Amino acid sequence: MKKFLISLSIVYFLMGVKEIYPQESINEVRRLSLEDGIKIALENNTYIKREMEQLKARDEEVKKAFTEFLPKFSTSYNYTRFNEEPFVKAYGQAFDVGDKDHFQWDITVTQPLFTGFALKNQHKIARTRADIGKMTIHQAVLEVIKEVKVSYFRILLAKKYLMVTEEAFTQLNSHAEDAQKFYDQGMIPYNDLLKSRVALADAIQKRVQAESNVKVAISAFNTLLRLDINEESDIVDILDFKHFDYNLDEAIAIALKKRPELKVLNFSLKNADYSIKLAKSRYYPQFNLVGDYQRIGQDGDASKNDYANSHNERIMLMINWPFFEWGKTKADVRKSKYEKRALEEELAGIEDRIKFSVKKAYLDLNVARKNIETASKSLDQAKENYRITDLQYKQQMTTSTEVLDARTLLTQAQVNYYNALYGYNIAYAELRRSMGEKG
């Protein structure tokens, strides 16, 4: 009775623990879908965060460039103490013209009138740099989405490899037990038993390696999502595949239209044109309208002046024209033109690389699509071949070698099928990324 009560108390205690700490919270495994992984990666990616902060900085550059069109207000105040009172001499006599204490206060307004289109082009450059920042973020988003998809399907593929090795281990272990029985009964030679044991040992090693590969794939996925590298993330399996509805020419045309890298370079070419015009602005004179309010006096607020008017206003048209600087402006213009030509060459090279990447991904996708059907049929045949061969061995109608060969063929057929299936999804993600699409 005492033992029963103790046992009952332990049961109630464990039930209470389970109530307070539900099973889900103990050794909780995060289960993620592909969409979950993409969302987390986009939220946590440091490169995207950095580029978003850079975009904010470029937006401020646009605001800064716009303020250059507006009038500028400034003020200055100065105090001067002379050793002697200022004077002038006329007709042999000295006349005071000021006090020892000299206070001056100025308020100035400057409005640019014409700068050779420099301010206009500086503003355009700032806006285009902001557009480049947006495209850079879009490019980073596409790359992260593609990397998450590839990493996701690599986990699934690694898990299928593990499943194949576990199945092979189970079947080879059963075969080794059968071989041991047949050997004990004197029905097979010792070398047949050894073959089954060697094959089983090899299956054990492959299973251990497959387990490690799954952990590595999950760690890579966690790193991409910026989760704990040791977190036991579980993911939802995807056994279907999306059909691709474009031919190669259509895919290349979409890529040349949508790839953010090309848009970035096109924006950069615009900026190169603006930079050329900006450099040419120094060929023109610059006009500024300046308004000034001035107070001069002998007291702190410059309101008292016994020798002249204490305050005055003036308006000025100021022209500045550095018409000769030893070819500096010409060199700046040529420099900007050379930089534009370099961008044009870079654009042509990137277009060629994009066409190649689209074609390669397109061909890889077609290969994987065709292989899925072939590998599926081969897998069915390999399964049936192993079933028949194993049954024949148990009836002592064939040898261990035939069974091991059948298992090897089945393993290869399984690997080929999952390679084709998940390889298709990986190729699909690569193709969509090469086209500039999220997919």
Side-chain angles (χ1 to χ4, degrees):
M1 186 66 180
K2 184 177 181 181
K3 290 181 179 180
F4 172 75
L5 291 175
I6 293 174
S7 301
L8 188 61
S9 300
I10 293 174
V11 169
Y12 277 111
F13 173 75
L14 292 176
M15 290 177 64
V17 170
K18 186 175 181 181
E19 185 69 26
I20 299 172
Y21 304 102
Q23 185 64 32
E24 299 82 85
S25 65
I26 301 175
N27 298 325
E28 182 177 356
V29 176
R30 184 193 296 259
R31 185 167 176 80
L32 298 172
S33 66
L34 179 57
E35 292 73 19
D36 294 333
I38 291 173
K39 181 180 178 182
I40 294 172
L42 292 177
E43 290 175 351
N44 294 340
N45 186 264
T46 54
Y47 181 80
I48 293 177
K49 289 182 179 180
R50 188 194 76 179
E51 289 302 316
M52 290 182 69
E53 296 302 318
Q54 291 282 8
L55 179 60
K56 293 177 184 177
R58 293 181 180 186
D59 287 338
E60 296 303 320
E61 285 184 3
V62 176
K63 296 176 184 178
K64 175 184 173 182
F66 179 75
T67 62
E68 296 298 325
F69 292 102
L70 306 177
K72 306 295 185 296
F73 296 84
S74 63
T75 185
S76 64
Y77 181 87
N78 65 75
Y79 165 68
T80 305
R81 172 71 178 181
F82 295 99
N83 185 44
E84 296 179 357
E85 292 178 341
F87 66 89
V88 296
K89 288 183 178 182
Y91 307 105
Q93 293 185 356
F95 299 93
D96 293 336
V97 295
D99 295 298
K100 290 183 178 181
D101 295 312
H102 181 90
F103 296 87
Q104 182 171 334
W105 178 34
D106 289 275
I107 299 176
T108 305
V109 181
T110 304
Q111 174 63 57
L113 298 179
F114 179 73
T115 61
F117 309 106
L119 298 183
K120 179 180 179 181
N121 286 295
Q122 286 173 351
H123 187 246
K124 287 182 177 180
I125 289 173
R127 285 194 306 179
T128 307
R129 279 174 53 83
D131 291 334
I132 289 174
K134 294 174 184 177
M135 283 297 104
T136 303
I137 292 174
H138 181 53
Q139 179 180 341
V141 167
L142 291 180
E143 190 64 25
V144 168
I145 291 175
K146 187 263 292 184
E147 288 180 359
V148 170
K149 288 181 178 179
V150 171
S151 182
Y152 191 93
F153 288 116
R154 282 177 178 166
I155 293 177
L156 294 179
L157 186 57
K159 287 189 172 184
K160 293 303 181 185
Y161 285 168
L162 176 59
M163 182 189 73
V164 170
T165 60
E166 289 175 341
E167 180 183 313
F169 166 77
T170 300
Q171 292 177 344
L172 290 173
N173 186 55
S174 176
H175 173 70
E177 291 175 353
D178 291 338
Q180 184 67 52
K181 292 177 183 177
F182 290 146
Y183 175 74
D184 292 341
Q185 296 170 6
M187 299 174 64
I188 62 173
Y190 186 56
N191 67 316
D192 270 13
L193 176 60
L194 292 179
K195 288 178 182 179
S196 64
R197 289 178 176 178
V198 170
L200 179 60
D202 183 63
I204 293 173
Q205 294 180 42
K206 289 181 177 178
R207 185 181 65 175
V208 171
Q209 183 61 56
E211 289 174 347
S212 176
N213 291 341
V214 170
K215 292 179 180 179
V216 170
I218 292 175
S219 295
F221 185 72
N222 289 343
T223 301
L224 190 58
L225 272 58
R226 298 194 71 209
L227 303 176
D228 183 357
I229 194 172
N230 296 317
E231 183 172 332
E232 293 295 330
S233 300
D234 188 22
I235 62 175
V236 180
D237 199 357
I238 299 176
L239 291 173
D240 58 348
F241 56 91
K242 299 179 180 178
H243 292 281
F244 189 72
D245 301 323
Y246 302 101
N247 60 39
L248 179 58
D249 291 336
E250 290 172 334
I252 291 175
I254 292 172
L256 294 177
K257 181 180 179 180
K258 290 188 175 183
R259 279 289 286 264
E261 297 93 328
L262 295 178
K263 293 182 179 181
V264 166
L265 278 175
N266 283 320
F267 281 130
S268 297
L269 283 171
K270 283 186 179 180
N271 262 358
D273 287 329
Y274 299 148
S275 296
I276 293 172
K277 293 177 181 178
L278 180 61
K280 288 181 177 180
S281 68
R282 294 184 64 82
Y283 286 134
Y284 302 94
Q286 297 189 1
F287 295 83
N288 290 291
L289 186 65
V290 180
D292 182 63
Y293 173 75
Q294 186 180 81
R295 293 179 63 168
I296 301 175
Q298 62 195 45
D299 55 349
D301 61 357
S303 60
K304 182 181 179 181
N305 193 323
D306 296 332
Y307 300 94
N309 53 327
S310 61
H311 63 89
N312 206 345
E313 301 87 15
R314 59 181 176 175
I315 188 169
M316 300 174 286
L317 178 63
M318 300 183 66
I319 302 176
N320 181 35
W321 190 7
F323 60 88
F324 182 71
E325 294 181 300
W326 302 97
K328 176 183 176 182
T329 301
K330 183 178 181 180
D332 282 342
V333 172
R334 289 192 300 187
K335 169 179 171 290
S336 298
K337 288 182 177 180
Y338 292 142
E339 289 175 344
K340 181 183 177 181
R341 291 177 191 173
L343 286 173
E344 289 172 343
E345 293 299 327
E346 184 180 355
L347 178 61
I350 288 184
E351 285 179 347
D352 290 339
R353 290 194 291 273
I354 286 175
K355 291 176 183 178
F356 173 76
S357 67
V358 172
K359 183 172 182 179
K360 182 179 182 304
Y362 184 85
L363 294 176
D364 289 344
L365 187 70
N366 282 339
V367 169
R369 178 178 58 80
K370 293 175 181 177
N371 283 346
I372 289 175
E373 183 177 355
T374 303
S376 178
K377 292 180 180 178
S378 175
L379 178 58
D380 291 338
Q381 293 168 351
K383 287 180 178 178
E384 182 64 13
N385 176 58
Y386 179 79
R387 186 189 69 81
I388 294 172
T389 305
D390 184 56
L391 183 61
Q392 289 175 339
Y393 180 77
K394 290 178 179 178
Q395 296 173 354
Q396 278 298 285
M397 296 172 61
T398 188
T399 64
S400 285
T401 301
E402 293 295 326
V403 176
L404 300 179
D405 287 345
R407 180 57 243 187
T408 300
L409 290 174
L410 176 55
T411 298
Q412 189 60 54
Q414 290 173 318
V415 168
N416 290 343
Y417 173 73
Y418 292 122
N419 274 338
L421 178 62
Y422 294 113
Y424 179 93
N425 285 315
I426 291 174
Y428 187 88
E430 294 279 2
L431 179 55
R432 284 295 187 180
R433 170 62 183 93
S434 67
M435 292 170 60
E437 296 182 335
K438 295 180 181 179

